[in-house]
Amino acid sequence: MAKKMKAWIKTIRQLFSSEELTRLARKVGFIQRQRSLTAEAFLTLCAWGDGSLACQSLQRLCADLALWHDCSLSNEGLNQRFTPRAVAFLKEVFFTLLMHQRPALSSITETYRACFTRLRILDSTSFLLPADYGEDYQGSVSSGAKIQFEYELLSGTCLQL
C-alpha cells in the first residue's frame, strides 16, 4: 500500500505542481488562506484508493492525512472541508486534466470533422453507499449513486457532469 501511495503522489506532482493545485483551489474558493490541509493532500485523499472513500471513517481519513501529508486535522475539521467548494475544486482538477489531454485528441478530431458535426462521449460509474443513506439514495437493490459524464469531443465542451 505504501508503494502505491508514493506512486500516486508522484503522479499527481508530475501532472500538477503544488502551486498549480493551490491556484485552482483558490480560484473556486476551496482554499482561502494557508491551512494545514493542502490542495494536494485533499486531492490525494479524494482521488486515491480503491473507491472506498465513502466507507472510511473520518478518523481513518485523518490518520491517512497525517501519515502521508503530515497534516494534523480533527475529524470535524475534515468533515467541514467536504463542501460544494471542494466539489468545485475536484471538478477544476478534472477539467484541467482533460484539457491536458486535448492536444492528443486534436489530431484525432480533425479526421472526424469532415464527417461529423458532433461526437459525444458518455461515461458513467456507479457505486454502493452505506445502508445509512438508503432512504435518500434508493437504488433498485440497495442504496447507491451514479456519476455520469458527457463530453463533446469536437468542441471540447463538457455537456453534463
Side-chain angles (χ1 to χ4, degrees), residues 28-40:
V28 297
F30 176 64
I31 291 181
Q32 297 174 349
R33 56 189 171 272
Q34 190 68 26
R35 293 286 176 105
S36 61
L37 181 64
T38 64
E40 179 183 337

Side-chain angles (χ1 to χ4, degrees), residues 56-75:
Q56 299 293 327
S57 69
L58 287 171
Q59 185 175 5
R60 174 67 186 165
L61 296 174
C62 287
D64 287 345
L65 283 171
L67 178 64
W68 295 107
H69 295 281
D70 196 27
C71 173
S72 178
L73 199 62
S74 70
N75 296 350

